Amino acid sequence: MTQHPATTDRPVDATAGAADATAGAARRADWWRDAVIYQVYPRSFADANGDGMGDLPGVRARLPHLRDLGVDAVWLSPFYASPQADAGYDVADYRAVDPMFGTLTDATDLIRDAHALGLRIIVDLVPNHSSDRHEWFRRALDEGPGSPLRERYHFRPGQGADGELPPNDWESVFGGPAWTRTTDPDGTPGDWYLHLFAPEQPDFNWENRAVADEFRSVLRFWLDQGVDGFRIDVAHGLVKAPGLPDLGTHDPMKLLGTGATPCFDQDGVHAIYREWRRILDEYPGERIGVAEAWTPTARRTANYVRPDELHQAFNFQYLACSWEAEALREVIDESLEAMRPVGAPTTWVLSNHDVTRHATRFANEPGLGTQIRTAGDRELGLRRARAASLLMLALPGSAYIYQGEELGLPDVTDLPDEVRQDPSYFRAAGQDGFRDGCRVPIPWSGTEAPYGFGPTPGGPSWLPQPAEWAQLSVEAQTGDPTSTLELYRSAIAYRRRHTALGGADNLRWLDSPAGVLSFERTAADGAVLRCTVNLTAEPVTIPTPGELALASAPLAADGPRSGPHTVLPADTTAWWTIR
Ligand code: GLC
């Protein structure tokens, strides 16, 4: 990593800014409109008991890192009782903490400590499907045909003379048919049940009143524990087209780029979110709902965040966009435009636990999608990732950070087959199945694996970490002004302090050379922030617009930083304050 001089003389004090503003955020109305939200993947964040698997006491002990980073809120991927067929997205008991992650008391202790540090807690809710070990589903199988519990899922007789063919042609997102045949209590082959994901994840039937009642109760349960909101898993999947009509194709459904289908993005889902919004609004302190809705267009995404529905939805069009100026500008414009009529903030996200980390996506040629198994040009990937993050944090709305991206972590693309756990890896012709690569436990300190992830040097971690991660640990990067961690800390602190940044819809594009994006944001008080991104492979010389605030890479030595011109190197973003 090289020096980016702006951090040495940045005009804000990162530590003081973060602490003040975080305390402020805890009181502020509409806090979610410009929040920076950090995703913790509990399996891989911090392992307090040394069993190789992250846990809630581990997260709790590491909360000061998140406070120092300056984020507003933490979204925790599922930690509920689960057989872990899909890393916790197969929930067996929605009100219990899985013993591998701790206890309910650990969860409430974590919420309390986070609040004391000015951090909000958002938990994951998985309403599209349960685990096949959920009590309802077990009883539905045990009680056989005619059990009222079967009405809570989608059980159907098969087609063909002996019901030997699935009820329709739907394919699972993870590959293979979306139906599994059951065996009746007498041992004979029985009905089939629907699972849009793994067979261990049977889909709920949301037409059934008991399902809706149960989830209202689950929402209240966690709201009563003090959570500040929910990230709603597969929010676009709960309602299926009446009659479960054939798709007419045997292409596996991909989450990303999913067009209109009878299984996803049906208009009926919105009544559910209107109801949930009323529940969220009953509680003090602006509790929020965030939709994981993979819709074909930003306009369809906007339906989930109408004023009486959820607060935010992930912007997957942005996540899927390649590192190309025109494409990015288009997706930024479309995203902002789509949210205007509904008055919701746009969100920006580059990485999460389902896609190859952006440092690796941008290290490879564009067009490979979001599941990549090649490391590519790592140096280039990191350089672009830093530039992309600085761009993201300058955009109007709320931004999501996936654990480890603040360390510049790449995906681990060479995990041996025998350690892989992603269920889609084992099911032919589905989603490509390389999600384990972004789920490797993150490095905190020391020179020996698991690099402070667990308490003991040489101790276990559920996925092996690469040796070079010693240099990427929080400890190794802290205090190094050239590090990615310090870049994130500075950028988030600056974002809090600069009145033009954050939620306001105030972006104005400026003319710029081909391959360069440049925009300004003007605050009500007249302050202006200029962000310029050079996405080309060559340096560009531009008129110096103001006082340099931050840059994702050192500005070229021959570019006088306070002179009339600045040389912005390849794949670099810079922020300037104008007033
Ligand atoms: C969501 C989750 C993903 C999970 C799937 C099924 O897309 O983010 O990890 O596999 O839903 O629950």
Side-chain angles (χ1 to χ4, degrees), residues 86 89 129 174 197 231 233-234 255 292 353-354 435:
D86 184 21
Y89 283 95
H129 45 263
F174 290 163
F197 294 88
R231 175 267 188 190
D233 190 63
V234 196
L255 270 183
E292 187 218 20
H353 65 293
D354 290 329
R435 299 183 302 173

Side-chain angles (χ1 to χ4, degrees), residues 350 358-360 362 380-390 408 488:
L350 289 165
H358 63 284
T360 298
F362 297 153
L380 179 66
L382 179 58
R383 184 178 182 89
R384 288 178 171 171
R386 290 164 58 106
S389 301
L390 213 50
Y488 268 76

Side-chain angles (χ1 to χ4, degrees), residues 39 41 75 77-78 85-91 124-129 173-174 196-198 201 231-236 255 292 294 314 316 352-355 422-424 431 435 439:
Q39 181 188 358
Y41 193 66
W75 148 36
S77 280
D86 184 21
Y89 283 95
D90 48 318
V91 179
D124 224 303
L125 187 73
V126 189
N128 180 67
H129 45 263
V173 172
F174 290 163
L196 293 182
F197 294 88
Q201 295 167 295
R231 175 267 188 190
I232 297 150
D233 190 63
V234 196
H236 57 313
L255 270 183
E292 187 218 20
W294 299 83
F314 292 117
F316 291 124
N352 66 32
H353 65 293
D354 290 329
V355 297
D422 182 352
S424 54
Q431 188 164 295
R435 299 183 302 173
R439 298 176 177 181

